[in-house]
Amino acid sequence: MNVRNPFIPIKKADAVIIDGRVEQEITKKLNKMDIQTIRTVKCEEVDEAIAYHPDIAIHPIDANTLVIAPNVFEYYKYIFKNRPIKLIKGDKYLKGNYPNDIAYNVARVSRYAIHNTKYTSPKLKYYLEKQGIRLIHVNQGYTKCSTAIVGSNSIITSDPSIYKACKKYNIDLLYIKSGYIKLPGYDYGFIGGATGVISEKEFLFTGRYDNHPNKKDIDKFLAKNNKKAVILSDKEIIDIGSIIPLKYN
């Protein structure tokens, strides 16, 4: 079975799910690129800093099928009622702090889903395995936050457990220093939460990453994977819980 990574649309995405708090500079840039922006709703039960993060409450099984935490399911049921997106209500309610807020924060690369599998939503596991996706256990729980999915078999991460695990599976990896990404409420954010892909060629950054010590390495890695960096804001790069692409047909 040839499984397409939902974080990398084959054709240009029709829309993206994005943190409901992002500034208009980012949404305006996306709209100019003919990308519709769907703002998240707050998940009241988790920490304020990540309460609007898409990758906390949503996991795309494929380009138009989403597993959504029951906490916020009714909001997305309303938002997507006239759009060709299939919604699956998750089985695990999110609450409090780690590890009770990570059930849907799963990274994807190649034929693998990477997560702390002790806490993955059982329903999400079922749908992943149904597609022939193999789960790789790591100690990190926020694996999607920590993983920038660049290509079908390539990722960028600053997490040592993700890097170590993925090396065993011949995944193309770039390991970078942690930090240098803004996340209000925390010391720093993560590369996966500050990026997204909207086509086979366009790799989005939420802001400028000139101050990152691995900037040249990142640029080379993107070029190797035939990706063009698209900067959505002139401000400092910020972790907004990933940019999740959607394709309506």
Side-chain angles (χ1 to χ4, degrees):
M1 186 187 297
N2 185 21
V3 181
R4 185 74 193 184
N5 193 321
F7 291 102
I8 309 170
I10 299 171
K11 295 180 180 178
K12 190 170 183 178
D14 295 308
V16 294
I17 304 174
I18 198 163
D19 187 313
R21 300 166 295 190
V22 295
E23 295 182 6
Q24 283 194 349
E25 182 181 1
I26 288 178
T27 55
K28 281 182 179 179
K29 180 80 176 274
L30 287 163
N31 293 156
K32 283 181 181 179
M33 298 165 68
D34 293 322
I35 302 289
Q36 184 183 37
T37 51
I38 297 165
R39 288 179 177 265
T40 59
V41 69
K42 184 179 183 181
C43 183
E44 298 283 353
E45 294 77 14
V46 303
D47 187 87
E48 180 74 22
I50 59 172
Y52 285 87
H53 281 194
D55 59 22
I56 288 295
I58 301 168
H59 185 89
I61 294 296
D62 56 40
N64 49 25
T65 305
L66 306 173
V67 175
I68 299 178
N71 311 56
V72 292
F73 183 80
E74 292 304 317
Y75 169 80
Y76 294 104
K77 184 178 177 182
Y78 174 77
I79 289 294
F80 287 111
K81 66 180 180 179
N82 295 318
R83 295 183 175 100
I85 299 293
K86 180 183 177 183
L87 304 183
I88 299 167
K89 188 174 183 178
D91 53 347
K92 272 194 131 178
Y93 276 84
L94 302 174
K95 58 184 179 179
N97 298 316
Y98 183 91
N100 298 312
D101 57 355
I102 65 169
Y104 306 96
N105 194 262
V106 179
R108 297 273 290 276
V109 63
S110 187
R111 299 172 65 85
Y112 307 107
I114 307 156
H115 201 227
N116 186 326
T117 54
K118 291 186 288 185
Y119 304 106
T120 313
S121 151
K123 188 175 280 190
L124 176 54
K125 276 185 186 179
Y126 168 80
Y127 282 100
L128 290 170
E129 288 169 349
K130 190 177 179 182
Q131 283 209 343
I133 300 294
R134 178 179 171 185
L135 279 97
I136 299 173
H137 173 78
V138 295
N139 291 327
Q140 172 63 259
Y142 300 112
T143 50
K144 179 59 198 76
C145 291
S146 304
T147 307
I149 299 156
V150 177
S152 60
N153 193 52
S154 54
I155 61 172
I156 302 171
T157 188
S158 61
D159 186 86
S161 64
I162 294 172
Y163 178 75
K164 185 178 178 181
C166 288
K167 275 186 78 174
K168 298 176 184 176
Y169 295 92
N170 297 315
I171 292 164
D172 189 16
L173 295 154
L174 175 63
Y175 186 60
I176 62 172
K177 288 185 178 179
S178 59
Y180 308 95
I181 295 168
K182 188 178 176 184
L183 177 57
Y186 286 88
D187 292 339
Y188 56 85
F190 299 95
I191 188 72
T195 56
V197 177
I198 54 164
S199 72
E200 287 198 319
K201 299 291 183 184
E202 295 163 294
F203 187 87
L204 307 181
F205 290 90
T206 56
R208 301 211 164 271
Y209 58 106
D210 302 357
N211 293 329
H212 199 288
N214 295 108
K215 183 185 187 302
K216 288 184 180 179
D217 301 315
I218 293 168
D219 290 342
K220 285 179 184 176
F221 192 75
L222 293 179
K224 185 177 80 167
N225 283 278
N226 299 309
K227 290 291 190 297
K228 174 190 173 185
V230 178
I231 311 298
L232 296 178
S233 165
D234 281 330
K235 295 181 179 177
E236 179 187 358
I237 188 171
I238 183 170
D239 183 340
I240 59 170
S242 304
I243 299 167
I244 300 178
L246 298 174
K247 189 70 186 162
Y248 292 148
N249 50 50

